[in-house]
Coordinates of all heavy atoms in Angstrom, one line a residue:
T1135 N 197.6 34.9 100.1 CA 199.0 34.8 100.5 C 199.7 36.1 100.0 O 199.3 36.6 98.9 CB 199.7 33.6 99.9 OG1 199.0 32.4 100.3 CG2 201.1 33.5 100.3
A1136 N 200.6 36.6 100.8 CA 201.3 37.8 100.4 C 202.8 37.4 100.5 O 203.3 36.8 101.5 CB 201.0 38.9 101.3
I1137 N 203.6 37.8 99.5 CA 205.0 37.6 99.5 C 205.6 38.9 100.1 O 205.4 40.0 99.6 CB 205.6 37.4 98.0 CG1 204.8 36.3 97.3 CG2 207.1 37.2 98.1 CD1 204.9 34.9 98.0
V1138 N 206.3 38.8 101.2 CA 206.9 39.9 101.9 C 208.3 40.1 101.5 O 209.0 39.2 101.1 CB 206.7 39.8 103.4 CG1 205.2 39.7 103.8 CG2 207.5 38.6 104.0
P1139 N 208.8 41.4 101.6 CA 210.2 41.6 101.3 C 211.2 40.9 102.2 O 210.9 40.5 103.3 CB 210.3 43.1 101.6 CG 209.0 43.7 101.5 CD 208.1 42.6 102.0
D1140 N 212.3 40.6 101.6 CA 213.4 39.9 102.3 C 213.7 40.6 103.6 O 214.0 40.0 104.7 CB 214.7 39.7 101.5 CG 214.4 39.0 100.2 OD1 213.4 38.2 100.1 OD2 215.2 39.2 99.2
Q1141 N 213.8 41.9 103.6 CA 214.2 42.7 104.7 C 213.2 42.5 105.9 O 213.6 42.5 107.1 CB 214.2 44.2 104.4 CG 215.3 44.6 103.4 CD 214.9 44.4 101.9 OE1 213.9 43.7 101.6 NE2 215.7 44.9 101.0
V1142 N 211.9 42.4 105.6 CA 210.9 42.1 106.6 C 211.0 40.7 107.2 O 210.9 40.5 108.4 CB 209.5 42.4 106.1 CG1 208.4 42.1 107.1 CG2 209.4 43.8 105.6
A1143 N 211.2 39.7 106.3 CA 211.3 38.3 106.7 C 212.5 38.2 107.7 O 212.4 37.4 108.6 CB 211.4 37.4 105.5
E1144 N 213.5 38.9 107.5 CA 214.7 38.7 108.3 C 214.6 39.4 109.7 O 215.3 39.1 110.6 CB 216.0 39.3 107.5 CG 216.3 38.5 106.3 CD 217.3 39.2 105.4 OE1 217.7 40.4 105.7 OE2 217.6 38.6 104.4
D1145 N 213.7 40.4 109.8 CA 213.6 41.1 111.1 C 212.1 41.3 111.4 O 211.6 42.5 111.5 CB 214.3 42.5 111.0 CG 214.3 43.2 112.3 OD1 214.1 42.6 113.4 OD2 214.5 44.5 112.3
Q1146 N 211.4 40.2 111.6 CA 209.9 40.3 111.8 C 209.6 41.1 113.1 O 208.7 41.9 113.1 CB 209.3 38.9 111.9 CG 209.4 38.2 110.5 CD 208.9 36.8 110.6 OE1 208.0 36.5 111.4 NE2 209.5 35.9 109.9
R1147 N 210.4 40.8 114.1 CA 210.1 41.5 115.4 C 210.3 43.0 115.3 O 209.5 43.8 115.8 CB 211.0 41.0 116.5 CG 210.6 39.7 117.0 CD 211.6 39.2 118.1 NE 211.2 37.8 118.5 CZ 211.0 37.5 119.8 NH1 211.1 38.4 120.7 NH2 210.6 36.3 120.0
G1148 N 211.4 43.4 114.6 CA 211.6 44.9 114.4 C 210.5 45.5 113.7 O 210.1 46.7 114.0
W1149 N 210.0 44.9 112.6 CA 208.9 45.5 111.8 C 207.6 45.5 112.6 O 206.8 46.4 112.5 CB 208.7 44.7 110.5 CG 209.8 45.1 109.5 CD1 211.0 44.6 109.4 CD2 209.7 46.2 108.6 NE1 211.7 45.2 108.4 CE2 210.9 46.2 107.9 CE3 208.7 47.1 108.3 CZ2 211.2 47.2 106.9 CZ3 209.0 48.1 107.3 CH2 210.2 48.1 106.6
D1150 N 207.4 44.5 113.4 CA 206.1 44.4 114.2 C 206.2 45.5 115.3 O 205.2 46.2 115.5 CB 206.0 43.0 114.9 CG 204.7 42.9 115.7 OD1 203.6 43.3 115.1 OD2 204.7 42.5 116.8
E1151 N 207.3 45.7 116.0 CA 207.4 46.7 117.0 C 207.3 48.1 116.4 O 206.8 49.0 117.1 CB 208.7 46.5 117.8 CG 208.8 45.2 118.6 CD 210.1 44.9 119.2 OE1 211.1 45.6 118.9 OE2 210.2 43.9 119.9
S1152 N 207.9 48.3 115.3 CA 207.8 49.7 114.7 C 206.5 50.0 114.1 O 206.1 51.2 114.1 CB 208.9 49.8 113.5 OG 208.4 49.1 112.4
G1153 N 205.7 49.0 113.7 CA 204.4 49.3 113.2 C 204.4 49.9 111.8 O 203.4 50.3 111.2
K1154 N 205.6 49.9 111.2 CA 205.7 50.5 109.8 C 205.1 49.5 108.8 O 205.1 48.3 108.9 CB 207.2 50.6 109.5 CG 207.9 51.7 110.2 CD 209.3 51.9 109.8 CE 210.0 52.9 110.6 NZ 211.4 53.0 110.2
S1155 N 204.5 50.2 107.7 CA 204.0 49.4 106.6 C 205.0 49.2 105.5 O 206.0 49.9 105.5 CB 202.7 50.1 106.1 OG 203.0 51.3 105.5
F1156 N 204.7 48.3 104.7 CA 205.6 47.9 103.6 C 204.9 47.3 102.4 O 203.7 46.8 102.6 CB 206.7 47.0 104.0 CG 206.2 45.7 104.7 CD1 205.9 44.6 104.0 CD2 206.0 45.7 106.1 CE1 205.4 43.5 104.6 CE2 205.5 44.6 106.7 CZ 205.2 43.5 106.0
P1157 N 205.4 47.3 101.2 CA 204.7 46.7 100.1 C 204.9 45.2 100.0 O 206.0 44.7 100.3 CB 205.3 47.4 98.9 CG 206.7 47.8 99.3 CD 206.6 48.1 100.8
A1158 N 203.8 44.5 99.8 CA 203.9 43.1 99.6 C 203.2 42.7 98.3 O 202.4 43.5 97.7 CB 203.2 42.4 100.8
I1159 N 203.5 41.5 97.8 CA 202.9 41.1 96.5 C 201.8 40.1 96.9 O 202.1 39.0 97.5 CB 204.0 40.4 95.6 CG1 205.1 41.4 95.3 CG2 203.3 39.9 94.4 CD1 206.3 40.8 94.7
R1160 N 200.6 40.4 96.5 CA 199.5 39.6 96.9 C 199.3 38.4 95.8 O 199.4 38.7 94.6 CB 198.2 40.4 96.9 CG 197.0 39.6 97.3 CD 195.8 40.6 97.4 NE 194.6 39.8 97.6 CZ 193.5 40.3 98.0 NH1 193.4 41.6 98.2 NH2 192.5 39.5 98.2
A1161 N 199.1 37.2 96.3 CA 198.8 36.1 95.4 C 197.7 35.3 96.0 O 197.3 35.4 97.2 CB 200.1 35.2 95.4
G1162 N 197.0 34.5 95.1 CA 195.9 33.7 95.5 C 196.4 32.3 95.8 O 197.6 32.1 96.2
A1163 N 195.6 31.3 95.5 CA 195.9 29.9 95.8 C 197.1 29.5 94.9 O 197.2 29.9 93.7 CB 194.7 29.0 95.5
F1164 N 198.0 28.8 95.4 CA 199.2 28.3 94.7 C 200.0 29.4 94.0 O 200.7 29.2 93.0 CB 198.8 27.2 93.7 CG 197.9 26.2 94.2 CD1 196.6 26.1 93.9 CD2 198.4 25.2 95.1 CE1 195.8 25.1 94.4 CE2 197.6 24.2 95.6 CZ 196.3 24.2 95.3
G1165 N 200.0 30.6 94.6 CA 200.8 31.7 94.1 C 200.2 32.4 92.9 O 200.9 33.3 92.3

């Protein structure tokens, strides 16, 4: 599981269309 930034969660289509990468926080089972 990855925790994504608030900015990405709010505009998923925009980030998908742009193809830009961003930092996420990686977690395993149960965070």
